[in-house]
């Protein structure tokens, strides 16, 4: 069992930065790939980024490549999402999830409650 708690969301101006954190409980955190997803009002949840269990591999959706960076610290049971050059279109609730290496939400076993990111234009 893994419990996930996101933090770090907030209101930021376009062009600004935020760093999201996702703290995990449970001794099996380091065995899971970790993903970040987001959901804007009226839209479906969409994949943002993923990192492998040991941090050796990462993958991003096209619209965040070069702007967002995913990382993890297994000693701290935490995964991060550094978001730079934020755009109004990045406004959404951001969720972290633990599961298999996949961009599909249904392949993840555990989800956090989400953290709101609002980018003002």
């Amino acid at each position: 069992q893994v419990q996930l708690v996101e933090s770090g969301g907030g209101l930021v101006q376009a062009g600004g930065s935020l760093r999201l954190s996702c703290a995990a409980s449970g001794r099996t955190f380091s065995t899971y790939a970790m993903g970040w997803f987001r959901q804007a009002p009226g839209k479906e949840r969409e994949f943002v980024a993923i990192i492998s269990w040991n941090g050796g591999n990462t993958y991003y959706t096209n619209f965040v490549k070069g702007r967002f960076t995913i990382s993890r610290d297994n000693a701290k049971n935490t995964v991060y999402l550094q978001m730079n050059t934020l755009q109004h279109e990045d406004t959404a609730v951001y969720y972290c999830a633990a599961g298999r290496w996949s961009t599909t939400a249904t392949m993840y076993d555990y989800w956090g409650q989400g953290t709101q990111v609002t980018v003002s234009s």
Side-chain angles (χ1 to χ4, degrees):
Q1 188 79 8
V2 177
Q3 292 184 326
L4 304 172
V5 179
E6 302 97 335
S7 61
L11 174 64
V12 64
Q13 289 187 335
S17 299
L18 283 174
R19 187 175 84 153
L20 305 183
S21 298
C22 173
S25 63
R27 291 179 292 178
T28 60
F29 168 77
S30 62
T31 66
Y32 288 96
M34 295 297 297
W36 284 96
F37 289 75
R38 69 187 187 187
Q39 188 165 18
K43 296 187 177 181
E44 293 186 353
R45 190 169 300 191
E46 62 181 2
F47 167 79
V48 175
I50 186 173
I51 188 166
S52 61
W53 67 274
N54 63 353
N57 290 293
T58 59
Y59 180 76
Y60 302 88
T61 191
N62 284 340
F63 49 78
V64 306
K65 280 182 181 177
R67 299 190 298 124
F68 291 11
T69 302
I70 189 171
S71 62
R72 68 189 295 164
D73 185 340
N74 285 345
K76 296 182 178 179
N77 276 13
T78 303
V79 63
Y80 305 95
L81 185 68
Q82 177 67 44
M83 306 186 295
N84 298 328
T85 318
L86 282 161
Q87 304 169 0
H88 178 68
E89 293 74 22
D90 295 316
T91 295
V93 177
Y94 284 71
Y95 300 89
C96 68
R100 301 179 183 183
W101 179 268
S102 176
T103 61
T104 303
T106 55
M107 298 299 287
Y108 289 77
D109 300 312
Y110 304 102
W111 291 83
Q113 83 290 348
T115 186
Q116 176 71 47
V117 172
T118 303
V119 184
S120 62
S121 55

